[in-house]
Amino acid sequence: MATRKQVCLSVCTRCRPADFAGADHERPGHRLAEAVLSLAQGADPTEVDLTLRGIHCMSQCKRPCVVALSAPEKFTLLFGDLQPETDAADILSLARQYAESDEGLVPRPDRPACLRSGILGRVPPLGYSGELRIPAFSLSSNRQEGSIR
């Protein structure tokens, strides 16, 4: 059963600048994943039900390093332009804020500084019908209802 404090933090391990020529384990994305993992292992497990996963590629190559926060019934947030040397603690801080939020939306001014301008997207959860949804541009493929929502 999902809890409101459940959070999945995905970190792209392949992220690198276009001119990077080092080995895979030297890539900035790999180093960011290591830094986040190191800090997360020392975190209080009762604070947030955190799942951390390294992802081989998150297809945001023009904006490395990339992380995503997701949870059941919450918006998924995607961030780029992160620094492996300095941003791991702030990423985990945002994960705690995200866990505490009702819909997964953490206002820009409330986020750690490194996560204010690097947002790449926010994707609503399946079945979202909140105030950000535009009913005029909603369609259900369930033709028996014949509804445009």
Side-chain angles (χ1 to χ4, degrees):
M1 176 169 63
T3 66
R4 294 306 291 172
K5 288 193 172 195
Q6 186 177 23
V7 176
C8 180
L9 173 59
S10 300
V11 182
C12 181
T13 63
R14 300 275 299 161
C15 280
R16 63 175 177 79
D19 60 350
F20 182 84
D24 282 358
H25 71 277
E26 297 171 341
R27 287 176 181 247
H30 191 274
R31 294 193 333 264
L32 179 63
E34 285 179 330
V36 171
L37 175 62
S38 177
L39 287 177
Q41 287 174 325
D44 179 357
T46 62
E47 193 171 275
V48 174
D49 181 5
L50 178 70
T51 298
L52 176 62
R53 61 184 182 177
I55 303 297
H56 184 70
C57 180
M58 292 173 61
S59 294
Q60 294 293 318
C61 299
K62 293 186 187 264
R63 302 284 299 271
C65 292
V66 173
V67 301
L69 293 164
S70 55
E73 301 178 18
K74 290 189 178 190
F75 275 75
T76 294
L77 304 181
L78 182 66
F79 295 90
D81 305 323
L82 299 168
Q83 302 300 316
E85 296 80 15
T86 58
D87 296 344
D90 286 341
I91 292 166
L92 289 175
S93 178
L94 181 65
R96 287 187 289 278
Q97 290 175 287
Y98 179 85
E100 294 294 331
S101 69
D102 289 333
E103 292 186 306
L105 300 174
V106 179
R108 184 181 309 263
D110 296 344
R111 293 183 218 140
C114 68
L115 295 153
R116 289 184 189 148
S117 63
I119 191 159
L120 304 178
R122 59 182 194 181
V123 180
L126 291 175
Y128 178 76
S129 61
E131 66 184 39
L132 297 176
R133 184 176 147 266
I134 308 297
F137 294 103
S138 300
L139 174 67
S140 172
S141 63
N142 183 346
R143 301 296 183 206
Q144 293 209 350
E145 291 179 14
S147 62
I148 295 179
R149 295 184 224 173

